[in-house]
């Protein structure tokens, strides 16, 4: 029999996590660990319970939460989920349980460690989304489409697309997550999720190949680099601050750092 | 920047007429097209539009307005436009600019008027405060209009800002902060920027010869500014020490706390928000979290740490639960000060 030190395994989706919450009530088990399903591991491990994602169960937990906490907190929870770490999943799971277990509204009880962790994770994800908005660099292709390649730490592309749709209004763009191998294409009116073949040369090469570039692209890249160097005030350059504001991991995609 | 040509002669400015530097002027359409190309590529979030004075203030201002207007109307530019109004520009042009700009600024540059006139003979405070007043009035009127009607275009929705140069004149921090606080009493003033003076020439003896811009002082002023905006400090509290200038070794919040041991320790489980905010090592966010969390239980040191309080600094100034960790009256202010400057160096 499973005891309260059990491990739950779920499919890594938010619905999966909510289903796990449902099951934990149903089975009267409070799991200590909640892991994402690892391909190839045995399904019949003794104290690992595999959660089957069920939209019905997830929906019930979600509606229960909607009654208990504000919209803002729901948003924090969903965002924090994107850190995709076991600790993050566990904290979120426990936070949800503590909300559902308690009679009062405990959403703002920040002496609760899980609440603090969930809030921290949410802030981390939002920070990454913000950096993506800042550091995506688009290149113009010969057909007029603008193309940006990124490797964000968390899966934040969906949070960012709207912003760029706003920016481009009537011209088209592609923004692509190389790490997760998918992206979004906007054609001037609609956004669609898309996937390149794994050997796409633009993705492998870290940007558009010369033959596909708009004829003015190199000119504007050079102009930007010149401008970027010109506005840096010699007396004020502070390499530590620069690395803080513009982490090295973005540099390969930054026009001004090449 | 539209042009670095300028017919004025402000001593502290690299673009002053008597500096011998190469001058370049961009046309309205050049600025517009480069801005759009940079914006599409996400190189820039917006445009900071400023210019030296060509011919006269209105002539220059008119060209800046045209840039902003073309970007918005012809190219559907959604980015941020910060338009630095030319001192002495007319009300009509300031109002026109306000329809396209998110933020506008008129820089005070030199805190006291006498020093401004001395260093920048073509300027006086009226040439700065008058356009500031136009912007304020425009924003307030627009707010009223928007309450009554639906389709009123926005007017400088992000308010206005200004800048003071630090270290080009001998104005004290007290003068600077008192002026800032007066500026913040304008309902539309969002930010005052402080810019450490960077030497721009070696021939003008009205200016101090600085090897380095006063970056630490600038940093302390920003911290003091922050205290006024978010921590409910008044300018005269921040500089109520013996000297009219800020202490460069420790941050102004810590400095105030050390000058006022009678206000501490603060009981985190009981004290009002305003006092919690005054504890060094507790920020606005932690203070809010403390207020929320203490409704549920008595907070101890571990809770504070989790909430994000820098216990290392805060411990001298607070009590929580049963333990008053180290309090300031037992550990004398000068000892604490030495301890903290030793621990944290210049980083505040
Ligand atoms: S008016 Fe402006 S640009 Fe011209 S010299 Fe003075 S500060 Fe410089």
């Amino acid at each position: 029999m499973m005891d309260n030190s059990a491990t739950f395994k779920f499919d890594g989706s938010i619905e999966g996590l909510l289903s796990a919450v449902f099951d934990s009530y149903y089975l009267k088990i409070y799991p200590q660990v909640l892991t994402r399903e690892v391909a190839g591991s045995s399904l019949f491990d003794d104290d690992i319970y595999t959660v089957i994602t069920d939209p019905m169960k997830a929906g019930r937990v979600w509606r229960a939460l909607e009654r208990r906490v504000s919209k803002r907190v729901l948003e924090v929870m969903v965002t924090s989920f994107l850190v995709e770490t076991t600790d993050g999943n566990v904290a979120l799971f426990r936070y949800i349980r503590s909300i559902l277990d308690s009679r009062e509204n405990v959403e703002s009880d920040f002496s609760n460690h899980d609440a603090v962790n969930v809030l921290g994770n949410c802030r981390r994800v939002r920070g990454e989304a913000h950096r993506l908005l800042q550091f995506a660099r688009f290149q113009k292709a010969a057909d007029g489409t603008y193309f940006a390649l990124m490797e964000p730490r968390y899966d934040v592309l969906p949070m960012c697309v709207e912003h760029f749709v706003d920016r481009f209004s009537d011209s088209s763009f592609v923004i692509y997550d190389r790490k997760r191998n998918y992206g979004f294409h906007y054609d001037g009116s609609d956004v669609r999720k898309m996937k390149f073949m794994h050997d796409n040369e633009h993705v492998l090469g870290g940007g558009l190949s010369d033959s596909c570039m708009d004829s003015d692209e190199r000119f504007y890249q050079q102009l930007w680099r010149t401008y970027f160097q010109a506005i840096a005030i010699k007396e004020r350059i502070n390499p530590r601050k620069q690395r803080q504001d513009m982490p090295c991991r973005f540099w390969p995609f930054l026009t001004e750092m090449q | 920047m539209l042009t670095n040509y300028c017919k004025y002669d402000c001593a502290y400015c690299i673009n002053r007429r008597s500096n011998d530097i190469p001058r370049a002027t961009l046309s309205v359409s050049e600025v517009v097209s480069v801005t759009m190309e940079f914006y599409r590529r996400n190189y820039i979030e917006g445009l900071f539009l400023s210019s030296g004075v060509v011919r006269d203030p209105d002539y220059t201002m008119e060209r800046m307005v045209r840039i902003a207007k073309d970007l918005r109307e012809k190219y559907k530019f959604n980015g941020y436009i910060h338009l630095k109004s030319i001192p002495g520009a007319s009300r009509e042009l300031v109002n026109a600019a306000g329809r396209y700009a998110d933020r506008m600024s008129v820089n005070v540059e030199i805190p006291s008027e006498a020093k401004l006139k001395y260093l920048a003979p073509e300027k006086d405070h009226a040439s700065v405060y008058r356009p500031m007043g136009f912007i304020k009035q425009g924003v307030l009127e627009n707010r009223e209009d928007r309450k009554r009607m639906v389709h009123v275009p926005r007017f400088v929705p992000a308010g206005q800002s200004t800048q003071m140069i630090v270290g080009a004149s001998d104005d004290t921090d007290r003068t600077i902060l008192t002026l800032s606080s007066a500026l913040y009493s304008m309902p539309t003033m969002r930010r005052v920027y402080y810019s450490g003076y960077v030497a721009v020439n070696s021939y003008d003896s009205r200016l101090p010869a600085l090897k380095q811009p006063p970056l630490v002082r600038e940093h302390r002023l920003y911290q003091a500014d922050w205290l006024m905006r978010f921590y409910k400090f008044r300018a005269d509290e921040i500089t109520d020490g013996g000297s009219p200038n800020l202490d460069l070794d420790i941050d102004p919040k810590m400095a105030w706390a050390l000058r006022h041991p009678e206000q501490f320790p603060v009981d985190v489980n009981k004290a009002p928000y305003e006092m919690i905010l005054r504890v060094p090592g507790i920020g606005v966010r932690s203070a809010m979290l403390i207020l929320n969390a203490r409704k549920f239980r008595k907070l101890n040191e571990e809770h504070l740490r989790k909430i994000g309080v820098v216990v290392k600094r805060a411990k001298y100034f607070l009590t929580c639960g049963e333990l008053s960790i180290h309090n300031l009256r037992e550990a004398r202010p000068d000892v604490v000060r030495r301890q903290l400057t030793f621990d944290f160096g210049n980083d505040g």
Side-chain angles (χ1 to χ4, degrees), chain B residues 134-181:
Chain B
F134 299 156
I135 300 170
K136 179 184 90 181
Q137 212 177 336
V139 173
L140 295 180
E141 281 171 13
N142 182 250
R143 263 185 219 163
E144 284 307 308
D145 289 349
R146 289 170 67 85
K147 271 185 214 150
R148 284 185 284 110
M149 292 172 278
V150 200
H151 290 294
V152 184
R154 294 161 77 76
F155 187 93
V156 200
Q160 54 180 326
S161 65
T162 188
Q163 172 182 279
M164 285 186 248
I165 300 176
V166 178
S169 60
D170 55 9
D171 293 306
T172 63
D173 292 341
R174 188 178 291 157
T175 311
I176 293 174
L177 291 170
T178 308
L179 177 55
S180 298
S181 124

Side-chain angles (χ1 to χ4, degrees), chain B residues 6 8-10 12-13 15-17 51-53 109 123:
Chain B
C6 191
Y8 283 9
D9 206 23
C10 311
Y12 46 79
C13 176
N15 298 329
R16 63 185 290 195
R17 159 180 88 223
S51 178
V53 183
E109 308 293 20
K123 289 184 185 167

